[in-house]
Amino acid sequence: MMSARPESIDSEPCEFSLDPQNWEAFRNLAHRALDDAIDSLENVRQQPVWQPVPPAARNHLNEDVPAEGIGLEQTYEQFRQWIFPYPTGNIHPRFWGWVHGTGTAGGMIAEVLAAAMNSNCGGRDHGALYVERTVLEWCKQIFGFPVDAGGLLVSGTSMANLIALTVARNAKSGGNIRQSGLLGSQPRLVAYASAEAHESVAKAMEILGLGNRSLRRIAVTRDFRIDLDQLRRAIAEDRENGLQPFCVIGSAGTVNTGAVDDLQAVADICRSNDLWFHVDGAFGALGVLSPEVLPLLKGIEQADSIAFDFHKWMYVQYDCGCVLVRDGKRHGETFCTRPNYLQRLDRGLAGGGTWFCDYGPELSRNFRALKVWFTLKQFGTAQLGRMIAQNCHQARYLAASIRDLPDLELLVEPTLNIVCFRFVDASLSKEQTDDLNCTIVAELQEKGIAAPSTTTVNGKLAIRVAITNHRSRREDFSLLLVNVVQFGKQLLVAA
Amino acid sequence: MMSARPESIDSEPCEFSLDPQNWEAFRNLAHRALDDAIDSLENVRQQPVWQPVPPAARNHLNEDVPAEGIGLEQTYEQFRQWIFPYPTGNIHPRFWGWVHGTGTAGGMIAEVLAAAMNSNCGGRDHGALYVERTVLEWCKQIFGFPVDAGGLLVSGTSMANLIALTVARNAKSGGNIRQSGLLGSQPRLVAYASAEAHESVAKAMEILGLGNRSLRRIAVTRDFRIDLDQLRRAIAEDRENGLQPFCVIGSAGTVNTGAVDDLQAVADICRSNDLWFHVDGAFGALGVLSPEVLPLLKGIEQADSIAFDFHKWMYVQYDCGCVLVRDGKRHGETFCTRPNYLQRLDRGLAGGGTWFCDYGPELSRNFRALKVWFTLKQFGTAQLGRMIAQNCHQARYLAASIRDLPDLELLVEPTLNIVCFRFVDASLSKEQTDDLNCTIVAELQEKGIAAPSTTTVNGKLAIRVAITNHRSRREDFSLLLVNVVQFGKQLLVAA
């Protein structure tokens, strides 16, 4: 077929491309960069967990937009000097800040291959879509969702929550909200989540035009789980006041303490009140892979929708999260549009099954399914489940070690993988204790020793250790505690 | 400091990691994968532009979630067999479907480095954030936006449009929409875009709770630009009817034909009506890099917000788009929240300037700024502008060639880089012509020759060629036309 090429027509002399003029030189540089990348992972334990970007590097980066390029070789050299030494730190064995996954070495290979294919996963008929479909089927199997459920890979749980709540809003609002919007004489839609629920839920309510006041923040019990009595009462009161309850968001692993709501009870409340049951399981949901953690999550399989991340507790490279929606038809009805330029055909590139642009706000989408597929194929669910369990064991080990040290106070008994504690001394006021612990965390980070983060638990500033790190060892946690105590005592003396 | 490690505490014997047990073997595999990836780009011209995923590969992919892993080597082998041969095709010199950028070889290096660093760009203080800030500053310079403008890198223009319209809605609605939502006695908010505007604008209106009926689709003139008189009239009528116009979306490059609205006139209308002026410049906006295209875009520098993609006409790997908002303060006020677990400090990892989670719905975000930084550093704006101009020249060359061929009808004179045409024959009805051209496109794709897509222009099914491809040569377009005519005639005979 290629013989049809008309030989008589020449290229315009000035036509050029952005491809390397010398592929061999490009190949050498690419291999050098890959070696540097692998070195950075193989030797990460010998590096500081974090170091600030020095003023010199900032100044170099803070330049005007370049009119003339400097070529790939020099670009790489500048990257190596100004950018590469300053990662977030979550690749390091002693990073436990916020909830950041570690990534894997294999995930790096998946990313270079995805970059080579450069697929656009909004739709059409090509390999990447089959991989995304496979990954979504696997997720349905993992969570016991029906085969006709809907799903989508997204950047993370914040986006997944937004998508799930859009489906919930449209499903429960009655009327044709896609056409007519929220204005009019509808009763106000209200949703419910615990006071410990992630802020992205409130943000989604704002974007959706429902307002964050329409998210009732239900108090938690002493173990930081949603208070079921107060939840029932709030729903009943809102009904009596003419409002329209439409959704409860259960937390499977709160960001502060790792608490898991009683999802079975929340499911029952949703069923008896005809409410959408959404689970924000950003990191906790994948606990279902561990037989030890699974019982804690009972009820998640009854959710109308689940949001979770692969880049947290499946250790996949940033970014990749997922939303599953039990009613796949409703999921599609919420987002599907068919303009002329996206017309789907029976054959050719415009064919194929599911077009993922029909299931969320994004049209252009990269091939993030590949790194998830690589991770599940390489390790399997069993090994990933064992790693999740290992992180939970490490949290319990850390909590036990804290209990053994008189200068430290354990603030919450860990449910999953999050430990909140602090340095205490009888001579310190509440404010002084808060400030001192803030300083300890900053010192740990700035000296490159460890990277916990902070939060507030029961009004107390906490050193917070969230373990979604496959490189951590028990000795890393011991090193953390030795240093917390040492810094605490040094700071006490200095004060 | 590391000497503080307590030597007496052993690792739990069963502790394991997901790192390679043999880094040398991993390194070998990674280099092999990289060579395969580079080969695929270096030799892409010799490959079919697209081929369907064969049933055997689909069947292999369609397996149950693996409980036990098969290791990285075998995972890669399966990828090579079942996935790698089936990209979307946009890396190929003869892919012109929809508006898909090509990606670059250097972008692949950027992606492997980003995967190694595995940064989470939601916030905190680390190298990736400085790169994103730099890239955003460069965008402000490119579009003549003030230094205190807001901005965010996102997956693409669909997300960018959603973010910009959220800011616009909140800015123009009055009252505290974040808290209270849209319900209440507010007048209905309405927005305006041409009938040729991208569907993502309507989708954003739906997600925001405004409803797509509140997006007025204003008719276009014969050159597919928004009819300014009708726009003025619609705004006045809505005002008279007690509605609240809040935003006009100007198109800088429509997806069907590449038409650019008269942005200067739209800017004037917005100013005199106190409306938010948003520009959807998915691919067209970066035309400002070419002195030839720049005059077409006059007025874009006056926008309140601009949405555009790097993965289209800057040839950056998928995915990466951008939203700029002139009023950076308002941008932050729309999305910023400060829960305890995201507390920002003066020092350490929780310090730093802009936290990008304050500027959009995402908290977890990958390091997509790096590939943009690499592209602009490697090539500079001047060379990228010349490449954009080259694509426009190719579109004019293609249009001229079509005009020379009696079997082909040029449906629209190209403004930028999109050419719509079709095969015609006096013996065919309108429906037959539409069907035949659909079949021609499918044949071109299935035979791996070229990948245009289809759309409908003035009610006629069009073969649509959108050139955001740095690998295309004039001979590629000639090959396309030879084959369109040949297939058309073969199909005529067969019918």
Side-chain angles (χ1 to χ4, degrees), chain A residues 129-157:
Chain A
L129 289 216
Y130 292 89
V131 178
E132 183 156 348
R133 273 182 220 123
T134 295
V135 166
L136 289 170
E137 291 311 312
W138 291 352
C139 292
K140 294 176 199 172
Q141 291 170 16
I142 285 171
F143 288 106
F145 262 44
V147 288
D148 59 354
L152 190 70
L153 299 189
V154 293
S155 61
T157 294

PDB file of all heavy atoms in Angstrom, chain A residues 129-157:
ATOM      1  N   LEU A 129      -6.682   1.716  25.750  1.00  0.00           N
ATOM      2  CA  LEU A 129      -8.047   1.631  26.280  1.00  0.00           C
ATOM      3  C   LEU A 129      -8.366   0.236  26.795  1.00  0.00           C
ATOM      4  O   LEU A 129      -9.095   0.078  27.776  1.00  0.00           O
ATOM      5  CB  LEU A 129      -9.064   2.034  25.202  1.00  0.00           C
ATOM      6  CG  LEU A 129      -9.129   3.504  24.807  1.00  0.00           C
ATOM      7  CD1 LEU A 129     -10.558   3.913  24.514  1.00  0.00           C
ATOM      8  CD2 LEU A 129      -8.511   4.424  25.826  1.00  0.00           C
ATOM      9  N   TYR A 130      -7.810  -0.782  26.127  1.00  0.00           N
ATOM     10  CA  TYR A 130      -8.034  -2.141  26.613  1.00  0.00           C
ATOM     11  C   TYR A 130      -7.361  -2.343  27.959  1.00  0.00           C
ATOM     12  O   TYR A 130      -7.873  -3.044  28.830  1.00  0.00           O
ATOM     13  CB  TYR A 130      -7.554  -3.164  25.576  1.00  0.00           C
ATOM     14  CG  TYR A 130      -8.417  -3.144  24.337  1.00  0.00           C
ATOM     15  CD1 TYR A 130      -8.139  -2.297  23.271  1.00  0.00           C
ATOM     16  CD2 TYR A 130      -9.561  -3.940  24.272  1.00  0.00           C
ATOM     17  CE1 TYR A 130      -8.953  -2.245  22.159  1.00  0.00           C
ATOM     18  CE2 TYR A 130     -10.381  -3.910  23.151  1.00  0.00           C
ATOM     19  CZ  TYR A 130     -10.071  -3.048  22.099  1.00  0.00           C
ATOM     20  OH  TYR A 130     -10.897  -2.993  21.005  1.00  0.00           O
ATOM     21  N   VAL A 131      -6.213  -1.702  28.126  1.00  0.00           N
ATOM     22  CA  VAL A 131      -5.524  -1.809  29.411  1.00  0.00           C
ATOM     23  C   VAL A 131      -6.338  -1.104  30.505  1.00  0.00           C
ATOM     24  O   VAL A 131      -6.519  -1.636  31.601  1.00  0.00           O
ATOM     25  CB  VAL A 131      -4.103  -1.214  29.320  1.00  0.00           C
ATOM     26  CG1 VAL A 131      -3.408  -1.285  30.674  1.00  0.00           C
ATOM     27  CG2 VAL A 131      -3.286  -1.947  28.257  1.00  0.00           C
ATOM     28  N   GLU A 132      -6.858   0.079  30.183  1.00  0.00           N
ATOM     29  CA  GLU A 132      -7.661   0.784  31.200  1.00  0.00           C
ATOM     30  C   GLU A 132      -8.909  -0.028  31.539  1.00  0.00           C
ATOM     31  O   GLU A 132      -9.299  -0.133  32.706  1.00  0.00           O
ATOM     32  CB  GLU A 132      -8.047   2.200  30.729  1.00  0.00           C
ATOM     33  CG  GLU A 132      -8.816   2.983  31.795  1.00  0.00           C
ATOM     34  CD  GLU A 132      -8.734   4.499  31.671  1.00  0.00           C
ATOM     35  OE1 GLU A 132      -7.899   4.991  30.899  1.00  0.00           O
ATOM     36  OE2 GLU A 132      -9.497   5.198  32.377  1.00  0.00           O
ATOM     37  N   ARG A 133      -9.531  -0.614  30.522  1.00  0.00           N
ATOM     38  CA  ARG A 133     -10.706  -1.458  30.795  1.00  0.00           C
ATOM     39  C   ARG A 133     -10.345  -2.633  31.698  1.00  0.00           C
ATOM     40  O   ARG A 133     -11.065  -2.956  32.637  1.00  0.00           O
ATOM     41  CB  ARG A 133     -11.294  -1.975  29.476  1.00  0.00           C
ATOM     42  CG  ARG A 133     -12.273  -1.001  28.880  1.00  0.00           C
ATOM     43  CD  ARG A 133     -12.909  -1.515  27.585  1.00  0.00           C
ATOM     44  NE  ARG A 133     -12.995  -0.404  26.666  1.00  0.00           N
ATOM     45  CZ  ARG A 133     -12.468  -0.361  25.445  1.00  0.00           C
ATOM     46  NH1 ARG A 133     -11.852  -1.422  24.955  1.00  0.00           N
ATOM     47  NH2 ARG A 133     -12.593   0.718  24.710  1.00  0.00           N
ATOM     48  N   THR A 134      -9.202  -3.254  31.393  1.00  0.00           N
ATOM     49  CA  THR A 134      -8.755  -4.384  32.221  1.00  0.00           C
ATOM     50  C   THR A 134      -8.532  -3.947  33.662  1.00  0.00           C
ATOM     51  O   THR A 134      -9.001  -4.604  34.609  1.00  0.00           O
ATOM     52  CB  THR A 134      -7.445  -4.966  31.641  1.00  0.00           C
ATOM     53  OG1 THR A 134      -7.727  -5.521  30.358  1.00  0.00           O
ATOM     54  CG2 THR A 134      -6.874  -6.045  32.543  1.00  0.00           C
ATOM     55  N   VAL A 135      -7.841  -2.832  33.836  1.00  0.00           N
ATOM     56  CA  VAL A 135      -7.562  -2.350  35.196  1.00  0.00           C
ATOM     57  C   VAL A 135      -8.877  -2.065  35.930  1.00  0.00           C
ATOM     58  O   VAL A 135      -9.028  -2.384  37.112  1.00  0.00           O
ATOM     59  CB  VAL A 135      -6.659  -1.100  35.144  1.00  0.00           C
ATOM     60  CG1 VAL A 135      -6.643  -0.380  36.483  1.00  0.00           C
ATOM     61  CG2 VAL A 135      -5.244  -1.492  34.724  1.00  0.00           C
ATOM     62  N   LEU A 136      -9.842  -1.497  35.222  1.00  0.00           N
ATOM     63  CA  LEU A 136     -11.125  -1.209  35.871  1.00  0.00           C
ATOM     64  C   LEU A 136     -11.869  -2.499  36.217  1.00  0.00           C
ATOM     65  O   LEU A 136     -12.489  -2.596  37.281  1.00  0.00           O
ATOM     66  CB  LEU A 136     -11.980  -0.307  34.981  1.00  0.00           C
ATOM     67  CG  LEU A 136     -11.470   1.136  34.883  1.00  0.00           C
ATOM     68  CD1 LEU A 136     -12.225   1.905  33.802  1.00  0.00           C
ATOM     69  CD2 LEU A 136     -11.602   1.865  36.223  1.00  0.00           C
ATOM     70  N   GLU A 137     -11.796  -3.491  35.331  1.00  0.00           N
ATOM     71  CA  GLU A 137     -12.421  -4.780  35.663  1.00  0.00           C
ATOM     72  C   GLU A 137     -11.786  -5.369  36.912  1.00  0.00           C
ATOM     73  O   GLU A 137     -12.474  -5.903  37.789  1.00  0.00           O
ATOM     74  CB  GLU A 137     -12.288  -5.769  34.493  1.00  0.00           C
ATOM     75  CG  GLU A 137     -13.119  -5.415  33.268  1.00  0.00           C
ATOM     76  CD  GLU A 137     -14.572  -5.102  33.592  1.00  0.00           C
ATOM     77  OE1 GLU A 137     -15.203  -5.877  34.332  1.00  0.00           O
ATOM     78  OE2 GLU A 137     -15.070  -4.051  33.135  1.00  0.00           O
ATOM     79  N   TRP A 138     -10.467  -5.270  36.972  1.00  0.00           N
ATOM     80  CA  TRP A 138      -9.769  -5.772  38.157  1.00  0.00           C
ATOM     81  C   TRP A 138     -10.238  -5.052  39.417  1.00  0.00           C
ATOM     82  O   TRP A 138     -10.420  -5.675  40.458  1.00  0.00           O
ATOM     83  CB  TRP A 138      -8.249  -5.606  37.989  1.00  0.00           C
ATOM     84  CG  TRP A 138      -7.661  -6.501  36.950  1.00  0.00           C
ATOM     85  CD1 TRP A 138      -8.290  -7.513  36.273  1.00  0.00           C
ATOM     86  CD2 TRP A 138      -6.313  -6.471  36.455  1.00  0.00           C
ATOM     87  NE1 TRP A 138      -7.415  -8.103  35.392  1.00  0.00           N
ATOM     88  CE2 TRP A 138      -6.192  -7.484  35.487  1.00  0.00           C
ATOM     89  CE3 TRP A 138      -5.194  -5.682  36.734  1.00  0.00           C
ATOM     90  CZ2 TRP A 138      -5.003  -7.731  34.797  1.00  0.00           C
ATOM     91  CZ3 TRP A 138      -4.010  -5.928  36.051  1.00  0.00           C
ATOM     92  CH2 TRP A 138      -3.912  -6.949  35.095  1.00  0.00           C
ATOM     93  N   CYS A 139     -10.436  -3.748  39.313  1.00  0.00           N
ATOM     94  CA  CYS A 139     -10.899  -2.987  40.487  1.00  0.00           C
ATOM     95  C   CYS A 139     -12.289  -3.448  40.906  1.00  0.00           C
ATOM     96  O   CYS A 139     -12.590  -3.560  42.096  1.00  0.00           O
ATOM     97  CB  CYS A 139     -10.893  -1.494  40.180  1.00  0.00           C
ATOM     98  SG  CYS A 139      -9.238  -0.840  39.965  1.00  0.00           S
ATOM     99  N   LYS A 140     -13.141  -3.703  39.915  1.00  0.00           N
ATOM    100  CA  LYS A 140     -14.483  -4.199  40.258  1.00  0.00           C
ATOM    101  C   LYS A 140     -14.368  -5.528  40.991  1.00  0.00           C
ATOM    102  O   LYS A 140     -15.088  -5.772  41.958  1.00  0.00           O
ATOM    103  CB  LYS A 140     -15.324  -4.352  38.985  1.00  0.00           C
ATOM    104  CG  LYS A 140     -15.638  -3.037  38.287  1.00  0.00           C
ATOM    105  CD  LYS A 140     -16.383  -3.296  36.979  1.00  0.00           C
ATOM    106  CE  LYS A 140     -16.305  -2.089  36.051  1.00  0.00           C
ATOM    107  NZ  LYS A 140     -16.872  -2.404  34.714  1.00  0.00           N
ATOM    108  N   GLN A 141     -13.474  -6.385  40.509  1.00  0.00           N
ATOM    109  CA  GLN A 141     -13.293  -7.677  41.179  1.00  0.00           C
ATOM    110  C   GLN A 141     -12.760  -7.476  42.599  1.00  0.00           C
ATOM    111  O   GLN A 141     -13.216  -8.128  43.544  1.00  0.00           O
ATOM    112  CB  GLN A 141     -12.334  -8.559  40.374  1.00  0.00           C
ATOM    113  CG  GLN A 141     -12.920  -9.028  39.036  1.00  0.00           C
ATOM    114  CD  GLN A 141     -11.877  -9.704  38.144  1.00  0.00           C
ATOM    115  OE1 GLN A 141     -10.813 -10.093  38.589  1.00  0.00           O
ATOM    116  NE2 GLN A 141     -12.194  -9.835  36.857  1.00  0.00           N
ATOM    117  N   ILE A 142     -11.830  -6.560  42.739  1.00  0.00           N
ATOM    118  CA  ILE A 142     -11.217  -6.316  44.052  1.00  0.00           C
ATOM    119  C   ILE A 142     -12.262  -5.846  45.062  1.00  0.00           C
ATOM    120  O   ILE A 142     -12.240  -6.228  46.226  1.00  0.00           O
ATOM    121  CB  ILE A 142     -10.070  -5.278  43.911  1.00  0.00           C
ATOM    122  CG1 ILE A 142      -8.847  -5.929  43.267  1.00  0.00           C
ATOM    123  CG2 ILE A 142      -9.715  -4.653  45.242  1.00  0.00           C
ATOM    124  CD1 ILE A 142      -7.738  -4.951  42.879  1.00  0.00           C
ATOM    125  N   PHE A 143     -13.212  -5.018  44.588  1.00  0.00           N
ATOM    126  CA  PHE A 143     -14.200  -4.446  45.517  1.00  0.00           C
ATOM    127  C   PHE A 143     -15.553  -5.146  45.461  1.00  0.00           C
ATOM    128  O   PHE A 143     -16.512  -4.685  46.078  1.00  0.00           O
ATOM    129  CB  PHE A 143     -14.373  -2.947  45.247  1.00  0.00           C
ATOM    130  CG  PHE A 143     -13.181  -2.151  45.690  1.00  0.00           C
ATOM    131  CD1 PHE A 143     -12.284  -1.632  44.778  1.00  0.00           C
ATOM    132  CD2 PHE A 143     -12.945  -1.944  47.040  1.00  0.00           C
ATOM    133  CE1 PHE A 143     -11.174  -0.919  45.189  1.00  0.00           C
ATOM    134  CE2 PHE A 143     -11.836  -1.228  47.463  1.00  0.00           C
ATOM    135  CZ  PHE A 143     -10.937  -0.714  46.536  1.00  0.00           C
ATOM    136  N   GLY A 144     -15.641  -6.228  44.697  1.00  0.00           N
ATOM    137  CA  GLY A 144     -16.912  -6.940  44.625  1.00  0.00           C
ATOM    138  C   GLY A 144     -18.011  -6.142  43.938  1.00  0.00           C
ATOM    139  O   GLY A 144     -19.179  -6.248  44.297  1.00  0.00           O
ATOM    140  N   PHE A 145     -17.625  -5.335  42.975  1.00  0.00           N
ATOM    141  CA  PHE A 145     -18.607  -4.551  42.224  1.00  0.00           C
ATOM    142  C   PHE A 145     -19.085  -5.359  41.015  1.00  0.00           C
ATOM    143  O   PHE A 145     -18.358  -6.220  40.518  1.00  0.00           O
ATOM    144  CB  PHE A 145     -17.985  -3.226  41.766  1.00  0.00           C
ATOM    145  CG  PHE A 145     -18.329  -2.060  42.657  1.00  0.00           C
ATOM    146  CD1 PHE A 145     -18.286  -2.188  44.039  1.00  0.00           C
ATOM    147  CD2 PHE A 145     -18.695  -0.835  42.121  1.00  0.00           C
ATOM    148  CE1 PHE A 145     -18.605  -1.127  44.868  1.00  0.00           C
ATOM    149  CE2 PHE A 145     -19.024   0.247  42.940  1.00  0.00           C
ATOM    150  CZ  PHE A 145     -18.977   0.098  44.304  1.00  0.00           C
ATOM    151  N   PRO A 146     -20.297  -5.087  40.531  1.00  0.00           N
ATOM    152  CA  PRO A 146     -20.812  -5.839  39.381  1.00  0.00           C
ATOM    153  C   PRO A 146     -20.032  -5.510  38.100  1.00  0.00           C
ATOM    154  O   PRO A 146     -19.424  -4.443  37.992  1.00  0.00           O
ATOM    155  CB  PRO A 146     -22.269  -5.369  39.270  1.00  0.00           C
ATOM    156  CG  PRO A 146     -22.315  -4.051  39.965  1.00  0.00           C
ATOM    157  CD  PRO A 146     -21.276  -4.107  41.036  1.00  0.00           C
ATOM    158  N   VAL A 147     -20.078  -6.420  37.143  1.00  0.00           N
ATOM    159  CA  VAL A 147     -19.310  -6.226  35.903  1.00  0.00           C
ATOM    160  C   VAL A 147     -19.819  -5.032  35.103  1.00  0.00           C
ATOM    161  O   VAL A 147     -19.076  -4.448  34.319  1.00  0.00           O
ATOM    162  CB  VAL A 147     -19.336  -7.483  34.996  1.00  0.00           C
ATOM    163  CG1 VAL A 147     -18.487  -8.586  35.599  1.00  0.00           C
ATOM    164  CG2 VAL A 147     -20.749  -7.952  34.735  1.00  0.00           C
ATOM    165  N   ASP A 148     -21.081  -4.665  35.274  1.00  0.00           N
ATOM    166  CA  ASP A 148     -21.593  -3.533  34.499  1.00  0.00           C
ATOM    167  C   ASP A 148     -21.444  -2.206  35.249  1.00  0.00           C
ATOM    168  O   ASP A 148     -22.025  -1.194  34.851  1.00  0.00           O
ATOM    169  CB  ASP A 148     -23.040  -3.768  34.065  1.00  0.00           C
ATOM    170  CG  ASP A 148     -23.966  -3.984  35.260  1.00  0.00           C
ATOM    171  OD1 ASP A 148     -23.450  -4.059  36.404  1.00  0.00           O
ATOM    172  OD2 ASP A 148     -25.183  -4.092  35.046  1.00  0.00           O
ATOM    173  N   ALA A 149     -20.645  -2.210  36.292  1.00  0.00           N
ATOM    174  CA  ALA A 149     -20.358  -0.952  36.989  1.00  0.00           C
ATOM    175  C   ALA A 149     -19.547  -0.043  36.079  1.00  0.00           C
ATOM    176  O   ALA A 149     -18.882  -0.509  35.156  1.00  0.00           O
ATOM    177  CB  ALA A 149     -19.595  -1.216  38.289  1.00  0.00           C
ATOM    178  N   GLY A 150     -19.604   1.258  36.333  1.00  0.00           N
ATOM    179  CA  GLY A 150     -18.783   2.213  35.602  1.00  0.00           C
ATOM    180  C   GLY A 150     -17.508   2.495  36.373  1.00  0.00           C
ATOM    181  O   GLY A 150     -17.410   2.217  37.565  1.00  0.00           O
ATOM    182  N   GLY A 151     -16.533   3.048  35.683  1.00  0.00           N
ATOM    183  CA  GLY A 151     -15.285   3.378  36.360  1.00  0.00           C
ATOM    184  C   GLY A 151     -14.407   4.239  35.492  1.00  0.00           C
ATOM    185  O   GLY A 151     -14.621   4.330  34.274  1.00  0.00           O
ATOM    186  N   LEU A 152     -13.447   4.867  36.115  1.00  0.00           N
ATOM    187  CA  LEU A 152     -12.566   5.776  35.393  1.00  0.00           C
ATOM    188  C   LEU A 152     -11.288   5.954  36.201  1.00  0.00           C
ATOM    189  O   LEU A 152     -11.328   6.071  37.420  1.00  0.00           O
ATOM    190  CB  LEU A 152     -13.247   7.140  35.242  1.00  0.00           C
ATOM    191  CG  LEU A 152     -12.575   8.155  34.316  1.00  0.00           C
ATOM    192  CD1 LEU A 152     -12.692   7.716  32.862  1.00  0.00           C
ATOM    193  CD2 LEU A 152     -13.191   9.539  34.487  1.00  0.00           C
ATOM    194  N   LEU A 153     -10.161   5.962  35.506  1.00  0.00           N
ATOM    195  CA  LEU A 153      -8.907   6.332  36.159  1.00  0.00           C
ATOM    196  C   LEU A 153      -8.752   7.846  36.092  1.00  0.00           C
ATOM    197  O   LEU A 153      -9.005   8.458  35.048  1.00  0.00           O
ATOM    198  CB  LEU A 153      -7.718   5.638  35.480  1.00  0.00           C
ATOM    199  CG  LEU A 153      -7.737   4.115  35.518  1.00  0.00           C
ATOM    200  CD1 LEU A 153      -6.420   3.545  35.016  1.00  0.00           C
ATOM    201  CD2 LEU A 153      -8.027   3.588  36.915  1.00  0.00           C
ATOM    202  N   VAL A 154      -8.370   8.418  37.189  1.00  0.00           N
ATOM    203  CA  VAL A 154      -8.274   9.873  37.304  1.00  0.00           C
ATOM    204  C   VAL A 154      -6.965  10.221  38.009  1.00  0.00           C
ATOM    205  O   VAL A 154      -6.197   9.329  38.375  1.00  0.00           O
ATOM    206  CB  VAL A 154      -9.476  10.445  38.089  1.00  0.00           C
ATOM    207  CG1 VAL A 154     -10.765  10.255  37.306  1.00  0.00           C
ATOM    208  CG2 VAL A 154      -9.596   9.793  39.463  1.00  0.00           C
ATOM    209  N   SER A 155      -6.730  11.516  38.215  1.00  0.00           N
ATOM    210  CA  SER A 155      -5.462  11.905  38.829  1.00  0.00           C
ATOM    211  C   SER A 155      -5.394  11.484  40.282  1.00  0.00           C
ATOM    212  O   SER A 155      -4.317  11.210  40.794  1.00  0.00           O
ATOM    213  CB  SER A 155      -5.262  13.417  38.710  1.00  0.00           C
ATOM    214  OG  SER A 155      -6.285  14.110  39.374  1.00  0.00           O
ATOM    215  N   GLY A 156      -6.529  11.449  40.965  1.00  0.00           N
ATOM    216  CA  GLY A 156      -6.516  11.074  42.365  1.00  0.00           C
ATOM    217  C   GLY A 156      -7.911  11.129  42.954  1.00  0.00           C
ATOM    218  O   GLY A 156      -8.893  11.420  42.258  1.00  0.00           O
ATOM    219  N   THR A 157      -7.978  10.883  44.240  1.00  0.00           N
ATOM    220  CA  THR A 157      -9.274  10.768  44.894  1.00  0.00           C
ATOM    221  C   THR A 157     -10.037  12.090  44.921  1.00  0.00           C
ATOM    222  O   THR A 157     -11.267  12.089  44.912  1.00  0.00           O
ATOM    223  CB  THR A 157      -9.087  10.197  46.312  1.00  0.00           C
ATOM    224  OG1 THR A 157      -8.609   8.849  46.189  1.00  0.00           O
ATOM    225  CG2 THR A 157     -10.391  10.168  47.087  1.00  0.00           C
TER     226      THR A 157
END
